[in-house]
Every structure is written in structure tokens, then in C-alpha cells.
Amino acid sequence: MIKLTFQFYDLPLQHPFTISRYTVTIQKTVVVCITDGQFSGYGEATANPYYHSTQERLTESILKLKLVVDCCDAIHPEVLWQQLAPLVPEDFFALCAVDIAYWDYYARKNSKPLRSYWSDTNAKTPLTSYTIGLDTTEVMQQKIIEKPWPIYKIKLGTPNDIQIIESLRKITDAVFRIDANCAWTAEQTIKNSIILKSLNVEFIEQPLKAEDLEGMKRVKSESVLPVIADESCQREEDVILCSELFHGINIKLMKCGGITPALRMIKMARKNGLLAMAGCMTESTVGISGLVQIAPLLEYLDSDGALLLSQDIAEGVAFDFGKIVYPNSFGTGVKMYPK
């Protein structure tokens, strides 16, 4: 018989992490463990004010899910997800933590690396970007100097965005990806895309507010760079609409409810001609090790969440200059450090 437990952690960041909406210095997170006493699986969800994910709400939701998980008998993770989803219809963060933990447990119990359920374990995977949060130009430059990397995701959303990229380009020839976090207008995005393309920017992520549908139709038509949906593509039902507004989607496991729906979203993206990317929150190696299991199915990857921490709570997947280094173990390979 299996049992679900969970524990909250404070994750200290190396640097204050700023996007156009807020700044974080300590990230609160919850780790779910599902175990039968011999095999244990782990999943994670963070507190996030923008998505109304609080410690209190996560606790309430996970306790509801625990009632079902503790009674399930090694059923397939996709079957379990269908049973769990109706219990927390508005809390996809909690659902994600439990879904990943159960997938991890299920794979370990069956002596398989988790990604082997949908891809070859030797399949090629995209490099992960490394995120540079908003700050003074000097601080952003220093972060790049401290962390040489092949691809940087640059957070923008200021009146001086182009000048920031021009300044950063002076110190590295790495690929840039831009995340405006809903801070631009359609006119700005189209105009900026021309300049940014000349500065070796690969794509622009979520430049407009999610509700600006007409603006995004224009951007998709006129931007000289691909545009990738983030806030506009939170769950499965958003994929079809995004195919009309974007060139690709960024799947966040916490937003959609875990690996199970993420796999369905990737299939839907393919059917609708969309590029597929997966991204992370500022989270520990627990969540990141779950996220990279779907990497072989993607064009782009942003899985640097644990790299932004000054202290981690687990070991598992690692990165070598952007390349995923999977642990030689079953499941996600996560091992928790003593608390």
C-alpha cells in the first residue's frame, strides 16, 4: 500500500529574481513524496502569487488528493490523473506535484527511467537556457559573465529593453531568448522584433497580455521572430487557440497539472503545427528532474530553476553548459537531502 506525504521548504536564491510583475528572494515550495516503503517518488510545486498558489491552498489541495492516492493500487499514472483532477479543479500546482511524484514512483517500481515511457533514453534533447532576471544593465551583464552559457533567456519589460539587449550583446555571442512577461504592446513587439533579430535573438516569449487576442494575431502575422505563448497557454484547452496566435507554446508542468497533461499538450501542439517548449518556475532539482523527462519531445527547453538557487534540497538531473545530464537511475533519479 502506498502513502502520500508532503513537506514545505524555503529555497534561497543566489540573486533577487525580478520579472515585470514582481521580485523574489526566497521561493517557497512543497515536495510531495509517494512511497510504498521500498520505492519512493517525488514531485514539487511552488507558491506563486500570480497563479494564486499559496502554502495554505497547496496544503488543502494535497490533502484532498492524498485520500485517493493512499487507496490506489499501482494503477497507471494517466488513470490516476483522471481520478485526481476533478478533486482540485482550480489547483493545477498541487495536481502537478502529485502527478510527478506518482510517475516517479511508478517508474522506479517498474525499474525504468521515467522518460523511457515516451522516448528513447538516448534521444537527443534541446539545450536549456539560463535566465537573466531584470536588473540594472551592469548587474545583468555581471550575471552573464559569472555564468557562461550557450543560451540565455532575458527577462524584459522596461522602457529601455532594446538598450539592455544591445548592452548584453557586447559581452557575449550566446543565443538570446526574450521574455517580456506581457509587458509590451503589439506595435512595440513588431518593431522590437526587427531589431532583436539583428542581435541574434531566437524568439520572443509572451510579449502581450494574455487577453489581447487581436494584438497577438497581428504580432504573429508581422513579427520577424517566432512568438511563443506562456501565460496564454496554461492548460490543454488553450492549445487550439494558441495555434492561431503564436508559433509555439511554452508548457509549464505546474500550470497544466503535471506530466500527464503536458504529454497530451505536446501531441496537440504537433497536430496544430506549433513548436513545443517546456519551462520551469524557480524550483528545486526535484521539480526540474521531473520536467526534463519530457525534453526529448521538445524543440526548446527552459529548465534552469534549480541553477538559480543558492542552496538546493535534492540531487538529480544536472546540466553541463546547457546539456541535460540525466542520473543513471530509475524514475527521475531524485535523492532528497536531509532537512
Side-chain angles (χ1 to χ4, degrees), residues 73-310:
D73 185 21
I75 61 176
H76 193 277
E78 293 176 355
V79 176
L80 180 62
W81 193 92
Q82 295 296 341
Q83 295 179 11
L84 296 178
L87 301 180
V88 287
E90 299 300 325
D91 195 346
F92 288 83
F93 278 55
L95 184 59
C96 168
V98 175
D99 180 70
I100 297 175
Y102 188 75
W103 266 113
D104 186 21
Y105 163 77
Y106 187 84
R108 294 187 199 226
K109 187 176 178 65
N110 289 283
S111 302
K112 296 180 66 173
L114 180 47
R115 66 191 184 282
S116 69
Y117 282 95
W118 44 80
S119 68
D120 188 304
T121 54
N122 295 315
K124 184 178 179 181
T125 57
L127 299 178
T128 184
S129 54
Y130 182 84
T131 303
I132 305 297
L134 268 175
D135 211 311
T136 65
T137 301
E138 293 74 20
V139 171
M140 293 173 78
Q141 286 179 326
Q142 188 59 37
K143 289 178 180 178
I144 289 176
I145 293 169
E146 291 175 2
K147 191 74 173 181
W149 211 253
I151 306 169
Y152 292 102
K153 180 176 181 177
I154 313 295
K155 295 286 189 176
L156 295 179
T158 77
N160 308 308
D161 285 342
I162 296 299
Q163 292 93 322
I164 290 173
I165 297 303
E166 288 174 339
S167 297
L168 299 182
R169 181 49 74 208
K170 292 177 182 178
I171 62 167
T172 179
D173 59 1
V175 172
F176 286 169
R177 297 169 179 172
I178 301 304
D179 187 354
N181 281 115
C182 311
W184 292 352
T185 64
E187 191 71 36
Q188 283 177 305
T189 305
I190 295 164
K191 181 180 177 181
N192 288 348
S193 72
I194 299 170
I195 303 170
L196 293 172
K197 184 175 183 180
S198 70
L199 293 169
N200 195 22
V201 169
E202 189 173 24
F203 61 72
I204 301 170
E205 186 178 338
Q206 196 68 42
L208 275 56
K209 289 181 171 59
E211 59 268 22
D212 190 358
L213 305 185
E214 290 305 311
M216 275 312 308
K217 285 181 182 178
R218 184 183 168 204
V219 168
K220 183 183 180 183
S221 173
E222 300 181 33
S223 172
V224 300
L225 286 174
V227 282
I228 307 296
D230 185 0
E231 284 83 354
S232 292
C233 192
Q234 297 186 35
R235 293 184 275 281
E236 294 175 70
E237 57 266 29
D238 299 326
V239 177
I240 301 299
L241 177 60
C242 282
S243 67
E244 302 174 12
L245 308 176
F246 297 87
H247 301 98
I249 58 171
N250 182 7
I251 300 168
K252 301 277 186 71
L253 298 188
M254 291 185 208
K255 293 182 186 180
C256 72
I259 288 174
T260 301
L263 293 170
R264 295 196 293 261
M265 290 175 73
I266 293 169
K267 289 181 180 178
M268 292 174 66
R270 299 297 177 228
K271 288 181 180 179
N272 289 275
L274 287 165
L275 298 165
M277 170 182 176
C280 63
M281 305 297 191
T282 303
E283 55 196 272
S284 79
T285 289
V286 177
I288 298 301
S289 296
L291 170 64
V292 298
Q293 302 303 314
I294 64 172
L297 308 178
L298 308 169
E299 278 82 33
Y300 308 123
L301 183 65
D302 177 32
S303 58
D304 67 336
L307 299 176
L308 305 177
L309 304 179
S310 63

